[in-house]
Amino acid sequence: MIADDEPIVLDSLKTFPWSDHQCCVTCFAENGLNALHTLESEKVDILISDIRMPGMNGLEMCKKIREDNNIPIIMLSAKSADLDKILGLGTGADDYVTKPFNPLELMARVKAQLRRYTRYNEADKAGDCRDIIDFNGLVINRATHECTLYDRELGLTPIEFDILWMLCENRGHVISAERLFETVWGEKYLDRNNTVMVHIRRLREKMGEPSRNPRFIKTVWGVGYKID
């Protein structure tokens, strides 16, 4: 489903050859409220939604959907400001695309989200959802020891994987270097041990994170590390 109040956007997405990519648009909505009503009566596998719409906007709609539905949601916005992106992802969106967008890029993101959603549902049916953490484009699977960021395999070492899993499992909370070391390495932490810092730096490099302002692994100086 596509939710957007701009005719030019709807027309461009209607005419895109979705069926060639094993996808098809089954319904459209002009605002968040219409989208919610459609979700009640139609089976929708993924939602592409503008943020700024009349009536109920995309952010309000996303919050409402996330109360009882975990379908992938890709947000669209005419603004490239980080605030829109933060608000969109913070309300439960899975990805974010800035207008004007390349339809091929949007299609690639749709396919990535559908693959991720399929894997999640398969794990849910198998009863091992606790082994998968999936948020903001980062998917880490403890059962298969695989980790992807925006559908790109990171190729982590066992130590790097365990560090990232521990941070993800405790996201929102600061984990000290001492606790990380003693949990992951199973040894007593000694003062001036920079082993954790080195591994965090390697993790950031593999994730393509800028050292000064990383999006995922944050340094809380004098305390430890956390993932929001």
Side-chain angles (χ1 to χ4, degrees), residues 80-193:
S80 59
D82 285 340
L83 180 59
D84 264 0
K85 182 182 293 186
I86 292 169
L87 289 173
L89 296 175
T91 54
D94 299 283
D95 204 352
Y96 183 99
V97 177
T98 302
K99 297 178 182 178
F101 54 84
N102 183 330
L104 291 176
E105 178 190 356
L106 180 60
M107 188 67 241
R109 291 175 181 262
V110 166
K111 291 168 67 178
Q113 289 299 329
L114 287 174
R115 284 196 299 270
R116 189 172 298 123
Y117 186 55
T118 300
R119 288 199 302 265
Y120 180 86
N121 282 341
E122 288 173 350
D124 190 20
K125 292 175 183 177
D128 58 357
C129 269
R130 289 173 296 180
D131 286 331
I132 297 178
I133 295 175
D134 182 349
F135 73 104
N136 290 355
L138 178 66
V139 181
I140 181 167
N141 188 322
R142 186 167 56 180
T144 62
H145 238 258
E146 294 175 332
C147 182
T148 60
L149 181 60
Y150 305 126
D151 221 40
R152 176 177 64 87
E153 181 68 42
L154 294 184
L156 304 181
T157 66
I159 290 292
E160 292 165 350
F161 185 95
D162 288 345
I163 291 173
L164 187 58
W165 177 269
M166 187 173 178
L167 290 172
C168 288
E169 195 173 35
N170 295 277
R171 60 186 181 272
H173 300 280
V174 181
I175 307 297
S176 67
E178 178 180 358
R179 182 181 169 193
L180 274 169
F181 185 85
E182 293 185 350
T183 301
V184 173
W185 277 267
E187 301 175 9
K188 182 67 177 176
Y189 181 83
L190 302 176
D191 289 340
R192 299 183 180 179
N193 186 336

Side-chain angles (χ1 to χ4, degrees), residues 64-84:
K64 191 68 178 175
I65 290 174
R66 284 294 178 252
E67 291 178 4
D68 56 12
N69 197 322
N70 65 345
I71 65 166
I73 299 174
I74 298 178
M75 286 292 193
L76 304 176
S77 175
K79 293 188 176 182
S80 59
D82 285 340
L83 180 59
D84 264 0

